[in-house]
Amino acid sequence: MSGEIEWRLHVDPTRCIGSGICAGVAPRHFVLVDGLSRPVAERIAADESVLDAAESCPVEAIVVSEEESLRRIAPEG
Ligand code: SF4
């Protein structure tokens, strides 16, 4: 199962305030470009660090979804 594409990452550029928290929490998955975060790859193998990043984002700009169902995994609620 490892290495399979399972999750999808999205950063809403209209919400992101460029705090850089996500890139600190999950540097393999988020990079700041011109002051806004973007996913390094939009489709990834499951990785807990992106859930931490989504939960840590102060404006909930990061959404992690299941690749197949598009069900939202994080942030919760
Ligand atoms: S934590 Fe949220 S607001 Fe901060 S850079 Fe990442 S997506 Fe943008």
Side-chain angles (χ1 to χ4, degrees):
M1 164 163 156
S2 74
E4 267 182 49
I5 299 299
E6 294 168 281
W7 291 358
R8 186 174 285 265
L9 298 182
H10 177 72
V11 176
D12 183 343
T14 69
R15 295 182 77 119
C16 176
I17 56 172
S19 68
I21 295 170
C22 54
V25 170
R28 291 194 303 124
H29 292 292
F30 298 97
V31 61
L32 262 67
V33 178
D34 294 334
L36 294 178
S37 172
R38 70 165 64 146
V40 172
E42 292 187 351
R43 300 163 72 241
I44 64 166
D47 185 336
E48 289 281 321
S49 70
V50 300
L51 304 183
D52 293 341
E55 299 294 347
S56 301
C57 177
V59 293
E60 297 198 348
I62 299 169
V63 175
V64 184
S65 311
E66 283 183 354
E67 167 69 6
E68 278 187 24
S69 67
L70 297 181
R71 185 181 69 86
R72 187 168 91 173
I73 302 167
E76 290 183 343

